[in-house]
Every structure is written in C-alpha cells, then in structure tokens.
Amino acid sequence: MSDPTISSGVVIHGGVGTLPPDRMTPELEAAYREALRESLLAGSAALQNGGSALDAAVESVKVMEDSPLFNAGRGSNFDERGVITMDASVMDGATLRAGAVAGVVETRYPVELARTVMERTEHLMLIGEGADALARVEGLQLAEPAFFHTDRRWADLQRAKEQVGARPNVLGGDPSEKSGTVGAVARDRNGHLAAATSTGGMANKTWGRVGDSPIIAAGTYAGPHCAVSCTGWGEYFIRNAVAYDVHARMEYLGVSLEEATRGVIHGKLERQVPGAGGMVAIDSEGAIALCFNTPGMYRGWIAEEGEPSVAIFGEG
C-alpha cells in the first residue's frame, strides 16, 4: 500500500502483533479488515461533520476499542493477576495540549477518558482508581470487567504463563508478541493535527506495568510538523522517545515525514531490537506514513471524503 498525501483525513493502526499468514483464516482476515474500515469511516465522518482532527482520531480509536479483535478496550490483554488494565492518550498538535490515563479497569472508552483529562482537568495524566473516578464524575460510559473479557486474550495469558514458567511481562521470544495497541492520527480542514493511542498492554504483564501508549512523546505525539501514534515493545519506545523523535527530526533536521519515520523504526529501533514495532503518522502537508519493522501491522488510511484503504501484511 502506497503512502499518499491527503488534504484532510485519518490514518490508523491496530497494532503490530498480527497473526502470521498461516494462522490468519479468510474469515478472521475479513473481520479485521471490516473493523479497520469501520474505524476509518468513523474518523472520516467526524471530519465531514466539521469535527477537528482530535475528534476524528478519537472516534477512530473508539471503534477499535469496542472491537474484541484488537488489544485495546474490549479486547485488552490480561495482566499476571488475570485483570485487565487499560492505558490511552491523546494530543492536539494545534495547542500541544494532551491527556492520558493508565491502569483503568472500568472505563469503556479509555481514549475518551484521556481526552476528558485534557479538557476537564488541569492535569495531563491520571491513573488507576482516580482515572476511573473521573470517568464516573464526568458521566462517561462504564463497563463491568466481564465486558472486556475475551476468550482469545484469556488463552494468550495462559500461553504466556506456560511459556515462561509464570514469569510475568514476557511472552515468548518474538518482540512482535509484546505489542498490540490501536491508534489514529488525523489532519482536519484547518490543517490541524492530532494523535490518539489506546492499549491493553502486554499479556501477562507485571501488575502495575505501564507501556508507551499513555506516555506523551513515547507512544503519542502531535505538534505543528506531524502527529504520530506508535505500537510495539513499549519499553523501547519510552527509552527512545520515539513519537517525539519523529517530530524532532522533521523540525531540527528538515527531513520529510517518510525519512523521519523510517530513520526511527528501521534505523534507531532496528539497531536495538529487531521487530520492535511500528507507527502511523501524518504531517502538516497531509503526507502520511505507515511504518513498521515487523511481519505486519493492522493499518489503514482514508481521505476525508474518500474510500478506506486497509492492509495487514506487506512491507512497512
């Protein structure tokens, strides 16, 4: 899939933890593609209705949070205790305002709560019970733990425990198995940029572990030059401030979005750990990037009034 330029639109990812082609049945692949299409159409609809880039990014992510296919919201991974905790963040490139939550357990749409932190408080990040409490106060939609439970993620937890002798935070030797995140970036008619990211984290993660998804500059960043949402092995994305690094390369070195994203994913990260992850990004001119160094990444893009384009495997 080529990376075009769009005047306004949305670019999404559903994580780099894709099933290998030999395990991806035609029915499951069709389900993934349809879910990606629905996410893109939701973001596009927000733009067509006069919404902002942030509106579009959040609406796209909410669709994926509601799908049991992705490791976010309803399809989130279980930690070592068998409990689902979720993280999310948003950032508005026009103002540099941002919001994030970590360790929430009963908020149906963590990305919506992250936006609420940004817009309704003076803070940037809330965690755990305090974050869920804000959701209740602000009247956001809540859900019981059973809503987030999926048999597939429960099986992933059991497999992780068997593979590593119950040692948490590790799932086999393939870095792509340590990922699974959803995200969206958008550019609106005014040229404003925004990014949003949401995740359930690693299967069998240590109780209390937080990855890059709610960390501004690591998993999410939006500024005047570009908006970025990441997916992958979170600890490496935090150490390298990956999302912000893309923006910094464009700002300080004057390179293109493609050069910046490839320099980070296929350069810096690839040297540290092969298959670390990927990202989607959009710049101030509408150029987009869907970059990854894994066998695949659930991904897609749509112009504001165009048709969705989605992909799973192939080069990134």
Side-chain angles (χ1 to χ4, degrees):
M1 182 173 61
S2 61
D3 296 350
T5 296
I6 53 180
S7 59
S8 62
V10 185
V11 192
I12 64 170
H13 68 78
V16 292
T18 56
L19 290 171
D22 61 348
R23 290 173 54 194
M24 181 70 77
T25 66
E27 295 78 13
L28 189 55
E29 180 174 351
Y32 270 111
R33 290 180 177 275
E34 180 57 28
L36 292 170
R37 282 177 51 86
E38 290 177 4
S39 171
L40 289 166
L41 289 171
S44 175
L47 292 175
Q48 290 182 47
N49 290 330
S52 67
L54 185 60
D55 293 328
V58 168
E59 290 304 313
S60 288
V61 168
K62 284 175 62 178
V63 170
M64 291 185 283
E65 287 180 331
D66 235 2
S67 169
L69 294 172
F70 302 105
N71 176 24
R74 190 177 181 188
S76 291
N77 273 324
F78 294 87
D79 68 14
E80 61 178 329
R81 305 165 298 166
V83 175
I84 289 174
T85 62
M86 300 165 287
D87 311 329
S89 64
V90 300
M91 189 166 185
D92 182 351
T95 63
L96 299 187
R97 297 180 68 202
V101 294
V104 300
V105 300
E106 62 179 359
T107 301
R108 180 166 179 173
Y109 299 109
V111 73
E112 193 172 59
L113 181 54
R115 182 174 186 174
T116 300
V117 171
M118 182 186 82
E119 295 180 337
R120 303 287 293 173
T121 80
E122 296 181 352
H123 310 304
L124 194 148
M125 178 183 285
L126 294 180
I127 65 170
E129 294 180 8
D132 279 322
L134 177 67
R136 290 193 295 272
V137 169
E138 293 295 330
L140 300 187
Q141 192 168 354
L142 306 178
E144 296 294 326
F147 172 82
F148 301 104
H149 181 113
T150 60
D151 292 341
R152 174 183 173 185
R153 299 304 181 194
W154 186 255
D156 285 345
L157 173 64
Q158 307 315 311
R159 181 166 63 93
K161 289 182 177 295
E162 291 171 1
Q163 285 184 357
V164 299
R167 182 164 61 95
N169 225 24
V170 180
L171 178 57
D174 182 357
S176 69
E177 292 187 325
K178 302 178 187 297
S179 58
T181 298
V182 306
V185 295
R187 182 178 189 271
D188 61 30
R189 299 174 186 177
N190 296 318
H192 295 160
L193 307 174
T197 310
S198 181
T199 189
M202 295 179 179
N204 198 36
K205 64 188 178 186
T206 300
W207 178 22
R209 180 262 185 183
V210 176
D212 66 305
S213 296
I215 307 297
I216 298 303
T220 305
Y221 193 80
H225 295 281
C226 66
V228 183
S229 175
C230 301
T231 170
W233 194 340
E235 281 71 12
Y236 284 89
F237 282 70
I238 296 170
R239 290 168 187 158
N240 290 281
V242 165
Y244 177 70
D245 193 14
V246 173
H247 191 276
R249 288 171 184 238
M250 295 184 70
E251 182 173 8
Y252 301 135
L253 301 179
V255 302
S256 67
L257 181 70
E258 179 181 7
E259 186 174 348
T261 55
R262 293 190 66 83
V264 173
I265 296 296
H266 294 287
K268 179 188 285 189
L269 284 181
E270 188 70 30
R271 289 192 293 270
Q272 296 181 37
V273 54
M279 62 175 61
V280 294
I282 189 167
D283 72 11
S284 59
E285 300 301 318
I288 70 173
L290 306 96
C291 188
F292 54 97
N293 61 9
T294 56
M297 180 173 75
Y298 302 110
R299 63 199 189 275
W301 64 270
I302 187 171
E304 179 178 338
E305 297 181 354
E307 290 297 317
S309 295
V310 302
I312 299 175
F313 303 108
E315 296 183 356

